[in-house]
Amino acid sequence: TAQRLQTWNRLALVELRDRTGRVRHGVRFADRAYRRDKTTGNVEIITGGPMLDEPWECTLGVPYDARRAVEAVQWCRWLTGGDEHSAQNLARMFATPLLEPYKALTYVLYGRGGNGKSITLGALRDQFPTLTVAVDAARLLGGPRGGTGSFATEQEATKLQHTLWAYDEDADE
């Protein structure tokens, strides 16, 4: 509701009043960072300077490894059965909330069991436990277990705050 939104805004302002830096939208490795340049729309690689020392949405404490990046692309190809278009979309699923201007973009992994969805999402959750959350989509959308505007729906929506990736392991195909 509008009243609750004002309360959250006030709380955010109080919490941020003493903060000198800002959290950068992108991903940072130990030796570089990636972000989308707002003016050109291109992905920018930052390899030094004060911006690299600022907090980032996702920080990996290891240097960027080109060999591992190639392995990741090969893994996406294997997981998608060699379909290059699907492999590129799978790779984008991980980067989209970090490199696109808005996090409202959605990717859907679907299909019958045994194709690696749960393994992929479990690995993502294990690697980034504070940025990945399991949700109940039916409850989130006010379905049979939620109800429009119900407390359960609001609680489910609260799980999405401060996360980059959300998934529902039990969603219907």
Side-chain angles (χ1 to χ4, degrees):
T1 65
Q3 185 179 10
R4 285 190 191 140
L5 184 57
Q6 290 173 2
T7 303
W8 279 111
N9 287 347
R10 261 186 272 124
L11 177 62
L13 291 172
V14 168
E15 292 295 324
L16 296 173
R17 71 175 175 248
D18 298 327
R19 188 165 177 86
T20 56
R22 60 175 288 213
V23 176
R24 294 283 176 181
H25 182 58
V27 60
R28 181 179 155 238
F29 290 84
D31 60 343
R32 66 177 68 181
Y34 293 85
R35 73 177 189 135
R36 179 143 332 248
D37 186 294
K38 290 180 183 178
T39 56
T40 66
N42 297 326
V43 173
E44 180 181 19
I45 303 171
I46 298 151
T47 57
M51 191 185 298
L52 195 58
D53 295 328
E54 294 178 9
W56 289 75
E57 275 183 297
C58 184
T59 301
L60 304 169
V62 296
Y64 177 81
D65 185 337
R67 183 181 55 79
R68 290 206 180 215
V70 169
E71 287 176 8
V73 170
Q74 290 170 341
W75 181 81
C76 287
R77 285 189 188 116
W78 172 80
L79 192 62
T80 58
D83 178 1
E84 187 63 27
H85 182 73
S86 293
Q88 292 293 325
N89 276 337
L90 180 59
R92 284 186 189 98
M93 182 190 82
F94 302 108
T96 292
L98 295 163
L99 296 177
E100 293 301 326
Y102 303 101
K103 294 181 196 176
L105 303 172
T106 302
Y107 285 84
V108 176
L109 299 178
Y110 66 93
R112 299 191 188 277
N115 61 2
K117 296 182 307 293
S118 292
I119 293 170
T120 302
L121 296 170
L124 187 64
R125 182 192 59 233
D126 292 346
Q127 186 67 36
F128 302 103
T130 61
L131 299 176
T132 309
V133 65
V135 295
D136 182 330
R139 184 175 289 159
L140 183 65
L141 298 173
R145 295 183 298 272
T148 306
S150 75
F151 180 74
T153 300
E154 289 181 22
Q155 289 297 98
E156 206 64 24
T158 302
K159 291 180 181 179
L160 298 174
Q161 293 177 349
H162 310 295
T163 61
L164 298 177
W165 302 283
Y167 64 93
D168 182 351
E169 290 180 316
D170 299 322
D172 189 11
E173 184 180 338

